[in-house]
Amino acid sequence: MVEEDRMRNKGFWENFILTAIVLVIIHTFLYDLGALLRWRVSVRNIVILTGLFFDTLFTVEFIVRSVIQGKKKGLITYWLYNRGWADFLSSVPILFFSSGPQVLLLCSGRTSEGLAAIGVLNILKIVKAIRVTRVLRLIRVMKIFGKIKNADSVMAQHHTATISTIAVSIVIFVIIIFTLLAGDPLGNAVIERRNHYEDLVDVVRYETDDGDLLMKLLQGDELGLRLSKNGTLLFSKVPITLWDSEIWYEDYMEIERGGYALTVSLEDINIKSALYNIRVFGIILSLVAGFMLFYTRHFVQIVTDVLFVVNRGFKERGYTLQVKIPKQYADHEIFELARFYNDRYLPAKLKNMHKSKRKKQSSLSMDDLLKYGNQKSDF
Amino acid sequence: MTVMDGNDKKKVVEFVQYLISNPNLKAETPVIREGMIITFITSNLRQLKKTLGSKRFFPHLSPDRVISEILLVLKQMSLGYLMPRIEVWLKNEIDYAVLEELFPLRGAQAGLGQNRYRSMLQEYLTLVLAYSEVRYNFNSVVNIFTYRALDRYLREVFHRRRFIFNEIRRVERLDLDCDEYIEYAKILFLIKNSVFMRVMLSSGSGKRKANINEAQQLSMSMPEFVMKLARSIKEGLPFLSEKAVVTAIKSNFRERQTGMKEASARLFHIIGSRYQDYKHHGRIDRAAESLDKSWFNIARSNSRFYGFNEKMVNELYLIAGDNMW
């Protein structure tokens, strides 16, 4: 009874985590879709909070699994062979470098002072500088491996999960390494934009320190959002009271130069970035789907199904079906084994069965009889 | 020792039910179960008698009486399984018009109509099925009729016109068309297990009754066995030709024990062997060959061991493979 309850609980949590994994994959897509479709700030805030929930959940799940496996002395097996490392990468770093800082930023009122007060400004700066957090989120896809039972065979599931994990990890790490070494084109676009507007302010200041000229130039520029001089607001395309609710915090940057505070839009760059992320996300999901749908089927057909038949032939007395050997794979080692099973083992097995039938060997034994006597002691 | 009462008989039935529910027997048909339990009883007779006479079983009865009651219960179970099937086949599966052409009734029997064939076959089968070994080996017939093996394979043989067809037509000189040959085969399969009936044979130490297995073990004269058995079968089924009866008997023999012209006997030996242990699977494992293709392929490797004609097995293998049987 206790064991039954334990199994039911385990089943419930496994299903809960599986649902959460599917939802987090949808969430990862929605995050970038929000930027692409310019969703309202309030909706995008909910997306950020939901991300924190998922990452916290998976971090807790990872810790719990590690503790449980540690108690069973299976921690290394979990980490190295049961994708513990993937569970780690798809939870802890994302919580600390992506969703965690984002929520902190949200709670701090999105001001540098607020962030400095809670001591995460430096982390956020580093994370933003290398711009890998969005790619990191894609690692979440790896959690799906091993959770979805897309084949009856444990071996097929394990191999599909391994090859998918390797493929997805390589895609993600290549992107990260290229970003770190060669720089992110979108990150460079932000720097270029910053330099451009800093130069603009400098040029205007060199000609005249008249705020009017800069104001007129920026009002005609679709990227110029707001300008103030020495704390006095000169113009704002969005009313200041609606600023936080209308403009997404990542969609603009502040440039301070000689008393001028200039706010410039980054929305176009972020849309390109979101599109790029969706593309990468699409590639990764397609890879996973391809492995799960096509590779698993292929693997099952040419490996596990064959082993299944051979195994039944070895174990079950009455099982005498031969293995189908496709011509195109006939030289594979597994089909060489199958050929031995077909041509040598099964004929020998049937000969033995025939001989034992001739010798009148029964499948029953006296033990079967004694068991009956013991069951029916009142006989 | 007391006489077996109703309660004891009930206990024996319960005991047999227990034996039948053994995992090794569960998947088998009642006739195979009966055969396996009889094998168990004969090979453990001394120990079994002791156990059955112990306090836990039937201490108040003679073990021999208990064993004969067990055998009776098993026989009833097997006949309860076989007889309704046989009735259905005799009613629906045999084309008596073809049979009448193949084996016309002669003498006093002539003109008695097709029902006479049916009643003679029914009576004959009831008689031979009294033997446990006949019941056991009748499993092949059950499977052949249930899965229409003769219709399927023989139609293919006649359609392909290869080795087996040539052997039947040109060597055996059996000038039957496909439908006639199928009916011929069905009748022969119904009677082929008569070899497990005991007939009186002469041996070194005088005369004794023996079935095919005993005759072979005691190295008795097989031609004498065939002759005596054929006579016995013809007594029950006088309409059958001598040749048909001998073919039915020889379809239990290995290839080298059959004559050059007995192609049908060799063919029926293979088909009968294939369907004796046949187990129908609703769904075949994905990487596995079909049931018959697997069996015939193994039979090709073991053809000498089983005493099969290699070319016939090969053709049956190709038929099974092409039709995914």
Side-chain angles (χ1 to χ4, degrees), chain A residues 305 308 312 319-320 322-324 347 350-351 357 360 362-366 368-369 372 374 376 379, chain B residues 14-15 18 22 24 36 39-40 48 51 56-57 277 285-289 294 297-298 302 305-306:
Chain A
D305 277 357
F308 183 76
R312 279 193 75 183
Y319 192 88
T320 53
Q322 294 197 315
V323 175
K324 263 185 219 162
L350 259 81
K351 265 187 197 174
K357 212 188 277 175
K360 304 223 168 209
S362 174
S363 319
L364 288 172
S365 69
M366 284 304 291
D368 296 320
L369 213 74
Y372 183 75
N374 291 337
K376 301 256 173 181
F379 203 65
Chain B
E14 256 179 50
F15 178 61
Y18 169 79
N22 183 291
N24 291 327
M36 285 176 153
T39 303
F40 168 69
L48 191 66
T51 309
R56 288 179 188 165
F57 290 87
D277 296 321
D285 296 324
R286 276 185 304 243
E289 291 288 11
S294 289
N297 201 19
I298 296 168
N302 288 348
F305 174 79
Y306 290 135

Side-chain angles (χ1 to χ4, degrees), chain A residues 372-373 376-379, chain B residues 8 11-12 14-15 55-60:
Chain A
Y372 183 75
K376 301 256 173 181
S377 47
D378 60 328
F379 203 65
Chain B
D8 290 329
K11 280 180 183 171
V12 170
E14 256 179 50
F15 178 61
K55 266 196 290 185
R56 288 179 188 165
F57 290 87
F58 304 91
H60 55 295

Side-chain angles (χ1 to χ4, degrees), chain A residues 8-9 17 28 37 89 133 194 227 251 287 308 310 328:
Chain A
R8 206 178 297 142
N9 276 340
I17 292 293
T28 308
L37 301 179
L89 283 180
T133 56
R194 175 177 288 278
L227 180 68
D251 279 351
L287 262 179
F308 183 76
V310 173
Q328 64 273 31

Side-chain angles (χ1 to χ4, degrees), chain B residues 179-271:
Chain B
D179 289 332
E180 286 171 338
Y181 191 73
I182 290 170
E183 294 310 312
Y184 176 76
K186 280 179 187 172
I187 296 297
L188 265 55
F189 265 97
L190 284 175
I191 64 165
K192 86 186 274 277
N193 293 312
S194 304
V195 291
F196 298 102
M197 277 197 313
R198 286 190 176 83
V199 289
M200 192 62 80
L201 295 174
S202 48
S203 68
S205 55
K207 290 203 162 197
R208 61 164 291 177
K209 277 191 159 187
N211 65 18
I212 186 174
N213 291 337
E214 291 154 349
Q216 277 173 340
Q217 275 167 14
L218 300 169
S219 308
M220 289 169 156
S221 152
M222 288 318 278
E224 188 196 351
F225 175 77
V226 173
M227 194 188 73
K228 292 258 174 84
L229 185 64
R231 202 179 298 152
S232 162
I233 294 173
K234 282 218 29 119
E235 274 171 28
L237 302 169
F239 62 88
L240 288 178
S241 65
E242 182 83 21
K243 179 181 163 44
V245 173
V246 170
T247 303
I249 294 170
K250 288 203 171 177
S251 68
N252 295 283
F253 290 5
R254 299 166 71 83
E255 186 191 10
R256 62 181 162 78
Q257 292 172 295
T258 57
M260 186 62 183
K261 290 183 179 175
E262 289 165 322
S264 297
R266 291 199 290 274
L267 175 65
F268 299 158
H269 177 44
I270 299 168
I271 296 178

Side-chain angles (χ1 to χ4, degrees), chain A residues 230-246:
Chain A
N230 299 326
T232 310
L233 184 69
L234 297 180
F235 87 91
S236 176
K237 286 181 182 168
V238 177
I240 291 298
T241 48
L242 296 177
W243 189 266
D244 283 346
S245 60
E246 292 288 319

